[in-house]
Amino acid sequence: MTSPRTITVLGSTGSIGTQTVDILSRHGERYVVNFLTCNTRVDDLAEQVRRIRPRGVAIREEWAWKRFRELCPDFTGPVLLGEEGLCEAAAHADNDVVMSAMVGFSGVVPTMAAIRAGHVIGLANKETLVSAGDIMTAAARAYGATLIAVDSEHSAILQCMVGERRADIETFIITASGGPFRSYDMESLHGVTAAQALRHPNWSMGAKITIDSATLMNKGFEVIEARWLFDLPSSRIDVVVHPQSIIHSMVQFIDGSVKAQMGIPTMLVPIQYALTYPAREPLDIPRMDLASIGALTFESADRERFPCLQLAYDVLDEGGSAACIANAANEVAVAAFLDGRIGFMDIPACISTTLHHMERLAHPSLDDIVATDAAARRYATEHCSRLQHR
Ligand code: NDP
Ligand code: MG
C-alpha cells in the first residue's frame, strides 16, 4: 500500500470543495487532510473540521475567522486569516496535492502561491487560467508545479490523452450541455430570471458557474482553460452541444480517430482522478446505463444567441489582459444578474462594453493582472448600475 497523500483544499465549503471532502472521507486511510479553507461559511467549515480533522484551517474574512474560534474553541491547529493565510495554506511544505476550488478571481493569488511552492495542483478554479493563463503556466514550468484538470471536460481530455503522443493530437472537442436555455429564442432569452437560470438540467454546482453555464460563458472559459492546460491553439478547440452530458469531451487524432470519455454526470470522478492521477482508485457511484439513456445527441453551439462563447474565443485570440477584463466584467455582471439588478442578455453586453472601454496590456505581470481585474470590476460595476437605473 502506498503512503497517504497530504491534501489541502482551497474553498472546501463550496460545491467542488464539499465533493472533494466527500472523496477524502470515503478513503480516510489514503489521505491526510492538511488545510481546509473558506471565505465566510464557517459553520460548514466547523462541521468539516469535526468530520475529517484537518491539521489547520484558513478563513478569508475576519468576522468569520473570529466566529470559527467560537464554534471550535478546542481546535488546536493553526487558524489562518485573510488572503495571506490562504496563501500560507496553499504553499504549505507538507502539501502533496492542493485542490484549488475557490470561485472566480479570488483564487488567482492563492493558486499562484501553491504554484510557487512547486506543488501538484488539482485545478477547478478555471478563472485563474482565464485571467492569467500565460503567467500561471509559465510559473508552473519555472517552479516545477503540476496543474491537473478537475473540470469534467478537461479531465476527459486528460484521460483521452493517456498513452498518446502529443504530436498525434489534432483537435479537442469540448462538449456542452447547452444549459437550461438551449432551445430558447433571442426574445425569450431577454426575459429569463435568475431562478430559471439556476435550474441546470444536469449538474448541481455553485451559483456563479451555474449562471456561466446558462450563458455559455462557462464553455468559453473552458476553451481558454484547455488552451492553457494543454497548449493547443483555439483554432483546434471546438465546442459541441451534447444535452445528455454523458460524453464529457473528446480528442481527435491525426488519423481521424476520436476518443471520448464517458460516464454519468458527476464531479466525483474528475475530482478523484485529479487526486490519484495517473492512477485510478475504486469509486462507489452509480454506473452508466446506456440502454436506459437511449440516445446521445449533438448539435452545434449558437454563438449568436450565446455571445459569451464568441467573446471567449475573441479574448483568447487577442491575448494579453483581454481575457482578464472579460472575466472581471463577467463576475460583476453575474452577481448583478443573480441580485435581479440586470437582465440575462445584459451579461454579454456588460462584458463587451467593458472590453471596449478598457485599455489592454500585451504582456501583463501578475501585479498588472490584479490591477486590471480591479479596474475592470470598477467599470463593469458602474455600467451595471447605469443599466439598473435606466
Ligand atoms: P462555490 O461558490 O460553490 O464555492 C466557492 C468556494 O470558494 C467556497 O468554499 C467559498 O467559501 C470560497 N470562496 C469564495 N470567494 C472567496 C474569497 N473571496 N476568498 C476565499 N474563499 C472564497 O463554487 P464551485 O465549487 O461551484 O466552483 C469552484 C470553482 O470550480 C469555480 O472556479 C468553478 O468554475 C469551478 N468548477 C465547478 C464545478 C462544479 O460542479 N461546481 C465544475 C467545474 C468547475 P464560502 O463557502 O465561505 O463562501
Ligand atoms: Mg466543465
Side-chain angles (χ1 to χ4, degrees):
M1 188 165 147
T2 50
S3 55
R5 306 192 87 189
T6 303
I7 315 282
T8 281
V9 186
L10 303 175
S12 68
T13 50
S15 165
I16 294 290
T18 50
Q19 293 179 85
T20 306
V21 168
D22 179 12
I23 295 279
L24 301 179
S25 59
R26 285 174 189 230
H27 304 291
E29 71 293 352
R30 295 200 189 109
Y31 301 108
V32 172
V33 186
N34 200 19
F35 281 85
L36 298 180
T37 84
C38 77
N39 185 25
T40 58
R41 281 187 275 185
V42 277
D43 294 83
D44 294 355
L45 185 69
E47 192 276 319
Q48 291 180 336
V49 165
R50 284 188 281 273
R51 190 148 56 94
I52 60 166
R53 307 196 167 280
R55 290 180 181 163
V57 298
I59 299 159
R60 179 74 168 86
E61 288 292 326
E62 191 167 359
W63 68 260
W65 177 78
K66 288 183 182 147
R67 170 109 180 100
F68 179 83
R69 286 283 190 205
E70 292 162 21
L71 289 168
C72 295
D74 302 331
F75 184 70
T76 52
V79 181
L80 309 175
L81 169 66
E83 189 168 75
E84 227 168 273
L86 295 170
C87 290
E88 193 178 327
H92 197 274
D94 291 348
N95 293 336
D96 290 320
V97 183
V98 176
M99 177 59 76
S100 168
M102 291 164 61
V103 65
F105 193 83
S106 69
V108 167
V109 173
T111 303
M112 186 54 117
I115 290 175
R116 288 185 175 145
H119 290 323
V120 173
I121 299 157
L123 192 68
N125 180 216
K126 68 188 81 182
E127 295 90 344
T128 291
L129 288 181
V130 172
S131 303
D134 201 359
I135 298 168
M136 292 282 164
T137 49
R141 285 191 297 276
Y143 291 94
T146 308
L147 302 177
I148 302 179
V150 172
D151 217 344
S152 57
E153 295 75 5
H154 305 73
S155 178
I157 289 171
L158 184 64
Q159 293 177 57
C160 291
M161 292 198 318
V162 168
E164 302 290 349
R165 291 186 316 179
R166 254 213 80 82
D168 294 343
I169 294 165
E170 192 169 86
T171 52
F172 295 154
I173 305 164
I174 297 182
T175 51
S177 72
F181 308 132
R182 179 170 60 89
S183 50
Y184 281 41
D185 61 23
M186 199 55 133
E187 203 188 318
S188 317
L189 283 174
H190 277 277
V192 301
T193 64
Q196 285 173 294
L198 284 171
R199 280 196 293 272
H200 193 278
N202 302 343
W203 299 94
S204 161
M205 309 177 285
K208 193 254 173 190
I209 184 178
T210 305
I211 303 304
D212 288 346
S213 300
T215 60
L216 294 200
M217 188 81 252
N218 182 53
K219 212 45 59 180
F221 284 170
E222 289 179 355
V223 171
I224 302 178
E225 190 185 3
R227 186 265 171 264
W228 292 116
L229 278 176
F230 305 115
D231 196 20
L232 210 66
S234 66
S235 55
R236 289 162 61 193
I237 308 174
D238 296 332
V239 170
V240 68
V241 173
H242 164 49
Q244 296 80 20
S245 298
I246 294 296
I247 293 181
H248 300 310
S249 279
M250 297 169 257
V251 177
Q252 176 166 280
F253 297 91
I254 48 172
D255 57 357
S257 173
V258 178
K259 277 191 185 174
Q261 188 268 337
M262 304 165 77
I264 61 162
T266 171
M267 287 308 296
L268 291 173
V269 174
I271 289 170
Q272 174 167 296
Y273 190 68
L275 297 179
T276 63
Y277 175 84
R280 291 187 188 273
E281 302 273 2
L283 186 60
D284 184 15
I285 52 161
R287 281 1 189 193
M288 181 175 75
D289 176 3
L290 281 178
S292 75
I293 295 162
L296 300 181
T297 62
F298 304 92
E299 54 198 71
S300 52
D302 183 342
R303 300 188 195 186
E304 273 174 33
R305 280 182 305 132
F306 298 99
C308 288
L309 180 58
Q310 183 60 49
L311 281 169
Y313 275 99
D314 293 345
V315 292
L316 174 56
D317 291 341
E318 185 186 324
S321 59
C324 172
I325 297 169
N327 178 70
N330 181 59
E331 283 191 35
V332 168
V334 167
F337 174 68
L338 281 167
D339 273 2
R341 286 184 276 123
I342 66 170
F344 186 73
M345 294 307 287
D346 291 331
I347 299 174
C350 174
I351 300 167
S352 297
T353 307
T354 308
L355 278 168
H356 185 72
H357 174 85
M358 297 273 308
E359 275 176 36
R360 309 288 208 278
L361 294 168
H363 302 288
S365 65
L366 189 63
D367 288 345
D368 293 332
I369 287 292
V370 171
T372 298
D373 172 76
R377 270 166 207 277
R378 277 195 299 278
Y379 184 82
T381 304
E382 283 164 25
H383 176 74
C384 289
S385 67
R386 279 196 298 275
L387 286 177
Q388 197 187 343
H389 296 110
R390 77 197 141 172

